[in-house]
Amino acid sequence: MGIFLISTLYACQPQEVAESSTSPVATPVQKTAPTTDTRPIAFLDRQLSTNPAELPPLPYGYNALEKAIDAETMKLHHDRHHAAYVNNLNNALKKHTELQNRSVEALLRDLNSVPEDIRTTVRNNGGGHLNHTIFWQIMSPEGGGQPTGEIAQEINQTFGSFEEFRKQFNQAGGDRFGSGWVWLVRNPQGQLQIVSTPNQDSPIMEGSYPIMGNDVWEHAYYLRYQNRRADYLNNWWDVVNWTEINRRAQASQQNNS
């Protein structure tokens, strides 16, 4: 059993993949036009730096979220998986040092401007760095319960009730085939919307502002829940940090300067 779990977690580990210039598979290109939005996303007071990219410390201990996530998973998730995204991003940008004066947000918002030889690596690892930096902040040992503040009112107005919102959010996370994320975003029309993204894609690539998101890669839950993603999705609400989510919801309403 131990060998199986280690093999499974290693399989989820982000790996640097060499890209051949002769490969018939085209590098993914962003579907939407680059946005003019310059708001920070990972942190509300600053852009996420690439000079160099750095692994942010957890804002709590590895065992602080035991209501939903075990300590060993937290340690592996932060110290191995998130760290790998940071290292892979830094290694890629060494090939094009001129990009190191741009934030992670700026790179992901305009992927077509990233040189093709590192575009996929920036997409996957810059996205992983951004997504996880948000993820650690929107959880708390004192989290859980019903939403409070303005986000509670807006959830009720948009989805009818918190219970209906939670049901739809969990369903979107459960329906995500393979690896990815489920998000509550403010879309370009200014509305709250539940979306799911594959792999480490960020909603900012489509012009949306991520307010809260749950990681549904197997490395986020497999040690405790094995293949029971639905149980993980249900228990995750016990650590949701509504204070931080309110801050992000308010930031998402601010006009881009």
Side-chain angles (χ1 to χ4, degrees):
M1 182 65 178
I3 294 175
F4 174 75
L5 287 177
I6 291 171
S7 299
T8 300
L9 285 169
Y10 182 79
C12 292
Q13 182 76 16
Q15 301 293 322
E16 190 77 50
V17 178
E19 297 167 5
S20 170
S21 59
T22 60
S23 171
V25 179
T27 301
V29 177
Q30 195 168 6
K31 297 177 182 177
T32 58
T35 175
T36 58
D37 195 347
T38 59
R39 289 175 296 179
I41 296 293
F43 301 106
L44 300 185
D45 60 347
R46 63 190 185 280
Q47 301 276 341
L48 192 58
S49 175
T50 61
N51 192 26
E54 296 181 338
L55 179 68
L58 282 177
Y60 32 71
Y62 295 122
N63 64 348
L65 306 182
E66 284 279 357
K67 289 184 289 185
I69 304 171
D70 60 280
E72 186 63 19
T73 294
M74 288 296 298
K75 185 175 179 62
L76 287 169
H77 199 168
H78 177 268
D79 295 3
R80 300 281 186 86
H81 292 283
H82 190 172
Y85 296 126
V86 171
N87 292 335
N88 289 344
L89 178 61
N90 283 328
N91 288 335
L93 294 180
K94 288 177 183 177
K95 303 174 186 177
H96 295 276
T97 56
E98 73 279 2
L99 297 179
Q100 293 175 345
N101 63 358
R102 298 173 62 187
S103 67
V104 172
E105 290 96 331
L107 293 175
L108 294 176
R109 282 170 169 147
D110 190 10
L111 274 172
N112 288 341
S113 70
V114 176
E116 189 173 1
D117 63 315
I118 65 167
R119 187 179 299 152
T120 297
T121 302
V122 169
R123 176 179 186 165
N124 291 340
N125 294 282
H129 182 28
L130 176 68
N131 292 347
H132 284 87
T133 301
I134 297 170
F135 188 55
W136 311 130
Q137 296 176 77
I138 62 161
M139 298 186 293
S140 168
E142 292 78 40
Q146 296 279 328
T148 57
E150 292 182 12
I151 191 63
Q153 299 175 22
E154 196 169 4
I155 284 174
N156 288 336
Q157 291 169 357
T158 304
F159 301 98
S161 67
F162 171 61
E163 289 71 23
E164 181 61 24
F165 163 66
R166 174 172 162 160
K167 176 183 175 182
Q168 292 184 28
F169 192 93
N170 284 356
Q171 181 174 347
D175 288 347
R176 164 50 59 189
F177 183 77
S179 302
W181 291 73
V182 55
W183 303 93
L184 175 68
V185 304
R186 192 172 305 281
N187 63 28
Q189 292 73 42
Q191 304 162 331
L192 291 188
Q193 183 179 357
I194 296 170
V195 300
S196 174
T197 57
N199 302 314
Q200 293 296 348
D201 281 2
S202 167
I204 71 171
M205 293 165 55
E206 301 295 334
S208 293
Y209 191 109
I211 295 171
M212 61 181 285
N214 194 1
D215 187 348
V216 296
W217 281 64
E218 284 189 341
H219 66 233
Y221 61 85
Y222 205 85
L223 284 181
R224 175 179 288 185
Y225 300 98
Q226 286 82 53
N227 65 334
R228 303 187 307 275
R229 184 190 287 183
D231 291 348
Y232 162 70
L233 287 165
N234 282 326
N235 289 344
W236 181 74
W237 296 96
D238 291 336
V239 295
V240 169
N241 183 352
W242 291 113
T243 300
E244 181 62 24
I245 290 166
N246 259 300
R247 293 179 65 232
R248 297 189 60 83
Q250 291 168 8
S252 73
Q253 292 178 311
Q254 296 172 4
N255 292 328
N256 180 44
S257 57

